[in-house]
Amino acid sequence: MKQLITLNINNQNYDVIVTPMDLLVDVIRKAIGLTGTKKGCGQGDCGACTVLIDGQPKLSCLTLAITCADKKIITIEGIANEDGTLHPIQDAFLDHGAVQCGFCTPGMILSAKALIDRNPNPSQKEIKTAISGNTCRCTGYINIVSAIESYANLVAEKGAK
Amino acid sequence: MNILSNFQYHAPKTKAEVLDLLADIGDKSKMLAGGTDLVIMLKEKMIQTENVINIADVKELSGIKFTDNGVEIGACTTISEIENSKELVEKYGALVYAASQLGSYQVRTMATIGGNISHSSPCGETPAPLSALNATVVIESKRGERTVKPEDFILGNRQNILEKDEMVTKFIIPEPVAHSAATYGNIGLRNAMEIDAVNMAVNIELEDDKKTIKSAKLIMGSVAPKPIVSEGVPSLLVGKELNDELIEKVGEAAMSEATPISDVRASAEYRKDVVGALARRLTKEAYNKAMEA
Ligand SMILES: Cc1cc2nc3c(=O)[nH]c(=O)nc-3n(C[C@H](O)[C@H](O)[C@H](O)COP(=O)(O)OP(=O)(O)OC[C@H]3O[C@@H](n4cnc5c(N)ncnc54)[C@H](O)[C@@H]3O)c2cc1C
Ligand code: FES
Ligand code: FES
């Protein structure tokens, strides 16, 4: 039972044909070709597949694509500025050496951005809690936490978002 | 890319439409709320279904509504909405804290409170605090409405009292009575993302003297196929003032009632020790808070 649905991803509409059981992560990666979103465990544990759905970080490996027809989805490709320059949170990750192999990075950045959007002034504990569902298999957590702290400070100083 | 077996998808807009669908095809359907349990079970082929009814976007089924005598929480309210609710913290803090302990933030933005009890896992985070807060589970079908206590809803591991045409629509939690307080605690194997080895909620109500215990309730999860409501702890506590000796006895009573199993998460022996420790700590905390309330 294939169905045509429209997915709004990074403020662009994509018409895709899906079956009800297609997972959002597969549709984003394979049908649409945005491969920034990663698929790690497929079980909800690693957070590599995190995307923002209506502003909230959610796991695209546990989301049926068909449930997202009326929603706004943001993937890592939608984070940079329109002119192609990096978003300050991406700069912060680079500046702090928070990226090793990069597999966890898209999910980390989206979880971190969602945290700062709901709580612009998080404690270190709150940062760690917010990314506890994102596994970094290169175990670069210290630099990741510093990068998020520095982005939070920047938002506090300049109101940058 | 079809790793799930085929099913038909339904996206009703209103509660009435959901109940109609359940009356028609409830025996051949699964409801989808946050999907954090259901999608995994479909993927792992632990279950198969001909129909999936998405209830997550039915507005009347979600939200936190304060009333004259308490609060009503819709079944499709997400765990993160509960965790982030500033209004709930003061009187229903045990539930808010339990919500903050469920999975990761991404899991909590998806998972719903109705899905948590309906999945009926012995280690579910919210049934124990809901019991401690004297919540009522509201169950509806086209045939009508009935209500049960959370502890009577779960029958065993992934078994509950729902008929095929029924669903959970909301939870009603009364305003806490004077001089009472509820607490929640959980112990897993690491600090984040764990499935609880033991979880527990306690409610203590004091007489007007703010010392003598008028009523007590202790519920533990993860230590048996369904949540256990202690019988020994209230009979120890009612009519008395809390002291160290009594706290020790509370721990022993809870330990004697828990019937934990050994599994990959923890041995039965470890779980029993944790039951004792949590029972002592949560009873003391609830008592102290009740003196202030
Ligand atoms: C990585 C990960 C970590 C987790 N950690 C925890 C944890 O620490 N603690 C914990 O308690 N749980 C945990 N869970 C389990 C899960 O997130 C919760 O049980 C959650 O509350 C389920 O809600 P849901 O809305 O996602 O349910 P769904 O998966 O949508 O549904 C679960 C079941 O309930 C039924 N259902 C849903 N809503 C209703 C309703 N209103 N009426 C009747 N039936 C209904 C569905 O048909 C299905 O059978 C975890 C899950 C994952 C993936
Ligand atoms: S791939 Fe979704 S959480 Fe691991
Ligand atoms: S940088 Fe390699 S997984 Fe995190």
Side-chain angles (χ1 to χ4, degrees):
Chain A
M1 265 271 291
K2 295 191 184 244
Q3 257 169 281
L4 179 70
I5 59 166
T6 304
L7 290 180
N8 185 288
I9 306 182
N10 305 328
N11 295 317
Q12 197 173 324
N13 284 334
Y14 296 89
D15 294 330
V16 280
I17 292 170
V18 297
T19 57
M21 52 279 193
D22 287 336
L23 296 166
L24 183 62
V25 64
D26 295 324
V27 172
I28 289 175
R29 287 178 55 85
K30 295 186 188 155
I32 296 175
L34 293 171
T35 54
T37 305
K38 303 300 179 210
K39 190 171 180 181
C41 64
Q43 302 259 1
D45 288 315
C46 76
C49 66
T50 303
V51 297
L52 303 181
I53 301 180
D54 291 340
Q56 305 254 42
K58 301 203 181 197
L59 301 168
S60 60
C61 74
L62 298 184
T63 302
L64 302 181
I66 200 164
T67 63
C68 298
D70 308 313
K71 315 219 158 114
K72 281 178 94 70
I73 301 165
I74 302 285
T75 67
I76 190 65
E77 288 90 347
I79 292 293
N81 301 314
E82 298 233 319
D83 62 4
T85 56
L86 293 182
H87 185 278
I89 192 167
Q90 293 174 308
D91 282 328
F93 268 64
L94 288 180
D95 293 346
H96 286 81
V99 181
Q100 296 185 64
C101 79
F103 192 82
C104 70
T105 313
M108 282 287 180
I109 288 186
L110 291 169
S111 280
K113 185 173 181 302
L115 167 69
I116 308 300
D117 287 349
R118 69 178 180 272
N119 175 7
N121 195 10
S123 64
Q124 198 178 78
K125 186 159 176 266
E126 287 169 329
I127 292 175
K128 288 182 179 168
T129 304
I131 60 166
S132 68
N134 296 82
T135 308
C136 176
R137 48 187 194 177
C138 305
T139 68
Y141 293 106
I142 293 177
N143 292 351
I144 292 170
V145 172
S146 325
I148 299 170
E149 278 180 322
S150 96
Y151 169 63
N153 289 339
L154 190 77
V155 171
E157 275 167 36
K158 299 203 186 133
K161 275 229 178 150
Chain B
M1 56 185 162
N2 292 348
I3 43 174
L4 308 183
S5 58
N6 212 342
F7 52 76
Q8 212 180 334
Y9 176 73
H10 307 265
K13 290 273 170 290
T14 62
K15 183 172 84 181
E17 283 172 38
V18 179
L19 298 181
D20 278 344
L21 275 168
L22 287 175
D24 284 350
I25 53 166
D27 53 341
K28 299 180 224 119
S29 304
K30 283 282 168 192
M31 273 176 278
L32 172 74
T36 56
D37 283 316
L38 186 72
V39 174
I40 289 186
M41 294 188 64
L42 288 170
K43 272 176 127 169
E44 309 253 297
K45 306 250 185 307
M46 289 163 79
I47 48 166
Q48 300 224 328
T49 185
E50 288 172 44
N51 297 279
V52 165
I53 304 174
N54 181 10
I55 58 170
D57 297 322
V58 178
K59 292 218 167 59
E60 338 158 45
L61 292 174
S62 80
I64 301 168
K65 203 171 82 201
F66 289 85
T67 61
D68 288 343
N69 29 25
V71 63
E72 295 186 6
I73 302 181
C76 293
T77 308
T78 62
I79 298 295
S80 66
E81 282 175 71
I82 294 169
E83 172 190 10
N84 292 331
S85 168
K86 300 224 164 40
E87 294 78 22
L88 277 180
V89 173
E90 193 193 332
K91 290 178 180 156
Y92 311 96
L95 179 65
V96 173
Y97 177 66
S100 77
Q101 297 296 299
L102 189 155
S104 62
Y105 195 74
Q106 293 98 309
V107 171
R108 299 198 288 277
T109 63
M110 301 172 74
T112 64
I113 186 164
N116 196 232
I117 199 164
S118 300
H119 186 60
S120 304
S121 151
C123 44
E125 216 77 51
T126 58
L130 284 169
S131 292
L133 290 164
N134 298 311
T136 301
V137 187
V138 179
I139 297 171
E140 287 184 57
S141 71
K142 240 183 139 170
R143 293 176 287 130
E145 186 185 293
R146 61 179 175 136
T147 56
V148 291
K149 292 179 185 170
E151 57 265 38
D152 298 332
F153 181 91
I154 299 176
L155 297 176
N157 188 11
R158 279 198 240 122
Q159 290 172 323
N160 59 47
I161 63 163
L162 287 180
E163 302 285 342
K164 296 287 180 200
D165 62 344
E166 288 181 320
M167 69 180 301
V168 176
T169 52
K170 65 183 171 192
F171 301 85
I172 300 175
I173 316 182
E175 177 111 358
V177 294
H179 320 314
S180 78
T183 49
Y184 175 80
N186 62 331
I187 295 194
L189 291 187
R190 53 192 170 106
N191 240 330
M193 291 287 290
E194 84 276 28
I195 303 290
D196 294 341
V198 176
N199 67 51
M200 189 182 291
V202 172
N203 191 332
I204 301 277
E205 182 193 352
L206 302 179
E207 301 282 1
D208 287 337
D209 66 2
K210 293 199 186 186
K211 278 191 218 138
T212 314
I213 296 171
K214 186 171 175 188
S215 73
K217 202 167 176 184
L218 182 149
I219 305 101
M220 38 195 156
S222 260
V223 294
K226 54 175 283 185
I228 294 184
V229 181
S230 170
E231 288 173 11
V233 171
S235 64
L236 274 171
L237 291 178
V238 171
K240 306 218 183 75
E241 290 179 24
L242 198 65
N243 56 38
D244 287 349
E245 196 189 331
L246 207 47
I247 287 175
E248 278 307 312
K249 285 194 183 148
V250 162
E252 283 160 23
M255 279 168 83
S256 74
E257 286 170 311
T259 51
I261 50 154
S262 293
D263 66 9
V264 290
R265 293 180 195 122
S267 69
E269 220 173 24
Y270 170 78
R271 281 202 167 95
K272 276 215 166 188
D273 286 344
V274 169
V275 164
L278 272 178
R280 291 192 296 268
R281 192 186 91 205
L282 294 173
T283 303
K284 212 152 116 184
E285 271 176 29
Y287 186 80
N288 290 341
K289 276 192 186 168
M291 286 165 70
E292 310 290 316

